[in-house]
Amino acid sequence: MFVSAILSDLASRSISFLIDKSWGSSTAPTVEEAMNSLQRLLLRAQVVVEEAEGRFITSQTMLQLLNRLREEMCRGHHALDTFRCRAHTDKDNKRHQAVSSSSTPSRFNPAKRVRFHTIHSGSSSRFSEQKQINEALRCLEIAIKNASELVVFLSCCPRLYRQPYNMYLLLDKCMFGRQMEMERIMNFLLQEEAPVAEYPCVLPIIGPGRVGKTTMIEHACNDDRVRNHFSKIVSFSQDSIKDEKRIATLSDCDVIKHHNRAIEEERILVVIELTGEIDEGTWMELYSDCKHHLGIGSKIIISSRYNMIAKFGTTQALTVQFFVEEMYWYFFKVRTFGSTNTDDHPKLASIAMEIAREFSGCFFGAHVFSLLLKSNFSAHFWSMALAYIKEYKRMNPFVFGSHDIDPWQVHQPVYMRRVNKFSSEYLVVLDDYQTCSPQSEGPTLSFQDYSFGRIRARGKFKVLLMRSHLPPHYIYMLTCEVRRLQQGMVSRKKRVHEITS
């Protein structure tokens, strides 16, 4: 009742703010006023979003309202951080220009013309960012007004956790920004089918690599409601369903994720994660085998990067996309800075924004590098990490001979150079990441140890990429090899680097 009263009061205050603003002065607010107003609204929006993400919400309409409010909240944070980082960068540029102008007395110095162009382009950028702040403020006001029903509705929804938590822990325990997708998966798994329905029911999940499909499935399988509904949860990989090896019995599964012997019915959840394509004939035989071995009420989830699996589903496929830039920046910022205020570290915030932009929505990049950056709150170290990422993105399109590829999505061997190592020695990732259980003996050498440390390696070896923060805490590793580029490739790469620079 107390939380409901607080949320209702916040909603009424937000609506009153909108009314006062609309009937107030007709003059446009200054940048400082707009930033202050935006910051106040962001605090109100964050209270509602955090409260909503800590409760069970099953209404798709309310989830859409929440998703809209979250998007506008992230958009507001992105506009605010962009403006602050630009202001900090401009201040540094002015200081450098003041130093350089004292050493260039000639008024015909071409460097002055360059500075004039920089100042002019900086002014236009600031004007564009001011428009973004005003637009973000307007959209957030509307989103908060539309979310007034959501605030009242939240008091009727049960809580997810009994203990209080903050946003940093929330991102570690919950799927940030994926409530609509998670509710779709949960509805599929827990829904009782009609007696005439085709079984086992199949839900295809489609999305690009490293978008979070596996993480969503793991999060759903770890839910108590799912574990109390199915007697067993088993997992199959691409190798389990090749032509030469069909799924004959459930003992052929790769991993048994859960076994609830208290449930008498043989309701089994089968998770099939594909890394490559599968032809229709193989799928039909696989589905027929499952039909003979799975009891009534069993379900199948199949995930892939390819749209062709949509036709295998008995229900509409769930398509997962990368976050837009604003939401990804908010996710990356919270994972990197935690409870640290970015206003106290404007230089680091500016570097972090550029790193997030280089990742293009890659979640593995956010997980791996957020841990790396948190370990060393140094602008010099963060700048080295940014240079490392830029080198990776510039190097691999050159090796593949195409500038149209996304280096975060390639499945071919990719090249990574060690930080501050200017030799021709590269760490080559030979294949896509591999997943193994936490009980297995994983590699001791981490990706950070080799790329940013003093550890050297030779030949082929395994590198620990990350450990999942969701139970059962799977280990993700890479198979790597140290190679030296041929002299011709090195010289061509040097020419490309000089041209792009």
Side-chain angles (χ1 to χ4, degrees):
M1 294 292 291
F2 180 73
V3 172
S4 177
I6 292 177
L7 295 175
S8 300
D9 181 67
L10 286 173
S12 62
R13 286 173 180 267
S14 301
I15 295 173
S16 299
F17 173 82
L18 293 172
I19 296 174
D20 295 338
K21 189 179 189 315
S22 61
W23 289 98
S25 173
S26 59
T27 58
T30 63
V31 179
E32 290 76 13
E33 292 173 346
M35 290 178 64
N36 291 334
S37 299
L38 180 58
Q39 189 141 19
R40 287 195 297 269
L41 283 184
L42 285 173
L43 289 175
R44 295 173 182 174
Q46 188 166 338
V47 169
V48 178
V49 171
E50 287 187 13
E51 183 66 26
E53 289 182 333
R55 294 179 179 267
F56 283 114
I57 303 177
T58 57
S59 170
Q60 289 296 316
T61 304
M62 292 303 171
L63 285 174
Q64 289 177 3
L65 284 175
L66 174 61
N67 196 49
R68 179 64 177 171
L69 180 60
R70 185 192 294 110
E71 288 177 355
E72 296 302 339
M73 182 188 73
C74 294
R75 182 181 180 185
H77 277 290
H78 185 269
L80 208 59
D81 293 335
T82 300
F83 189 87
R84 288 170 175 168
C85 291
R86 170 69 67 178
H88 177 76
T89 303
D90 290 346
K91 186 184 296 185
D92 285 348
N93 291 338
K94 287 181 180 179
R95 183 163 55 248
H96 293 319
Q97 290 168 9
V99 174
S100 60
S101 61
S102 62
S103 60
T104 53
S106 174
R107 63 180 204 162
F108 298 104
N109 185 5
K112 291 188 175 183
R113 294 195 293 272
V114 174
R115 288 199 299 272
F116 176 78
H117 175 72
T118 304
I119 294 172
H120 178 72
S121 61
S123 300
S124 63
S125 297
R126 283 195 298 272
F127 178 74
S128 174
E129 289 161 2
Q130 291 174 14
K131 288 180 62 178
Q132 291 179 5
I133 288 179
N134 292 332
E135 182 67 15
L137 177 61
R138 184 185 67 84
C139 294
L140 186 57
E141 288 173 349
I142 297 174
I144 290 179
K145 181 179 179 181
N146 294 336
S148 57
E149 295 86 357
L150 173 65
V151 172
V152 178
F153 177 79
L154 286 178
S155 60
C156 304
C157 300
R159 286 191 173 276
L160 283 168
Y161 302 104
R162 295 180 180 177
Q163 297 180 353
Y165 50 85
N166 56 29
M167 176 57 72
Y168 174 63
L169 293 179
L170 179 67
L171 291 180
D172 271 345
K173 292 182 179 178
C174 297
M175 286 293 295
F176 171 75
R178 298 295 191 194
Q179 276 186 286
M180 292 185 66
E181 292 87 345
M182 285 300 304
E183 189 59 32
R184 171 81 185 281
I185 296 175
M186 296 301 294
N187 285 340
F188 167 79
L189 294 178
L190 302 178
Q191 183 180 15
E192 296 290 344
E193 297 82 17
V196 295
E198 182 180 5
Y199 78 91
C201 295
V202 182
L203 172 64
I205 301 179
I206 304 170
R210 301 174 180 88
V211 76
K213 301 186 297 296
T214 300
T215 306
M216 281 199 303
I217 295 173
E218 290 294 337
H219 196 56
C221 293
N222 193 54
D223 193 287
D224 289 337
R225 294 172 293 170
V226 175
R227 292 183 169 237
N228 292 330
H229 184 75
F230 294 98
S231 61
K232 189 182 293 185
I233 303 176
V234 299
S235 174
F236 293 90
S237 66
Q238 178 85 33
D239 294 335
S240 302
I241 54 176
K242 288 182 179 180
D243 292 344
E244 64 270 17
K245 183 181 179 182
R246 301 280 195 265
I247 300 179
T249 64
L250 292 176
S251 60
D252 294 329
C253 67
D254 295 324
V255 178
I256 299 178
K257 297 177 179 289
H258 172 68
H259 195 178
N260 190 347
R261 293 180 173 83
I263 300 178
E264 296 180 359
E265 301 90 349
E266 277 295 311
R267 251 194 326 260
I268 299 177
L269 171 59
V270 179
V271 178
I272 303 173
E273 298 187 68
L274 303 177
T275 55
E277 295 184 348
I278 176 176
D279 60 84
E280 190 169 357
T282 302
W283 167 256
M284 293 306 297
E285 293 189 26
L286 181 148
Y287 185 74
S288 177
D289 288 336
C290 289
K291 203 166 187 177
H292 284 89
H293 292 91
L294 299 181
I296 297 177
S298 299
K299 302 289 180 70
I300 298 177
I301 293 180
I302 178 172
S303 68
S304 175
R305 302 171 180 176
Y306 301 97
N307 294 328
M308 49 91 63
I309 70 165
K311 59 185 178 182
F312 301 152
T314 59
T315 184
Q316 184 179 3
L318 173 61
T319 303
V320 186
Q321 301 291 347
F322 283 113
F323 286 156
V324 296
E325 181 181 350
E326 293 83 1
M327 287 193 68
Y328 183 78
W329 159 242
Y330 185 78
F331 174 80
F332 184 77
K333 179 179 73 169
V334 174
R335 284 201 60 87
T336 304
F337 287 91
S339 58
T340 304
N341 191 354
T342 55
D343 296 345
D344 300 333
H345 303 276
K347 178 66 174 177
L348 295 181
S350 178
I351 299 173
M353 284 199 80
E354 197 167 352
I355 290 176
R357 199 174 297 115
E358 294 289 339
F359 279 137
S360 305
C362 178
F363 283 102
F364 260 108
H367 284 292
V368 174
F369 274 82
S370 62
L371 293 174
L372 179 68
L373 298 177
K374 278 192 297 186
S375 65
N376 191 339
F377 252 60
S378 162
H380 175 68
F381 181 77
W382 286 31
S383 298
M384 287 196 304
L386 175 60
Y388 178 88
I389 297 168
K390 287 185 174 180
E391 166 73 8
Y392 168 80
K393 292 186 67 176
R394 182 172 53 233
M395 173 65 185
N396 286 281
F398 165 76
V399 172
F400 298 139
S402 172
H403 292 276
D404 298 328
I405 66 169
D406 183 354
W408 304 111
Q409 293 294 321
V410 295
H411 313 305
Q412 313 176 52
V414 293
Y415 289 75
M416 300 179 179
R417 199 211 294 261
R418 298 186 68 182
V419 172
N420 270 350
K421 301 295 180 182
F422 298 100
S423 66
S424 58
E425 187 175 278
Y426 281 81
L427 177 69
V428 183
V429 180
L430 300 177
D431 52 18
D432 203 0
Y433 65 87
Q434 302 169 359
T435 307
C436 59
S437 63
Q439 291 78 21
S440 61
E441 186 176 350
T444 58
L445 177 66
S446 70
F447 168 78
Q448 294 91 332
D449 291 336
Y450 181 84
S451 300
F452 292 84
R454 299 178 179 275
I455 298 177
R456 298 179 65 98
R458 288 289 180 267
K460 292 183 180 180
F461 53 93
K462 299 285 186 180
V463 171
L464 175 64
L465 183 61
M466 62 170 286
R467 294 179 184 271
S468 175
H469 59 272
L470 293 175
H473 307 291
Y474 285 114
I475 297 172
Y476 296 87
M477 58 185 181
L478 302 172
T479 303
C480 303
E481 183 181 14
V482 176
R483 295 180 186 174
R484 290 181 177 272
L485 292 184
Q486 298 178 0
Q487 186 63 33
M489 293 184 65
V490 174
S491 60
R492 279 189 297 164
K493 177 185 174 297
K494 184 178 179 181
R495 289 197 300 270
V496 171
H497 174 68
E498 292 173 352
I499 295 173
T500 55
S501 300

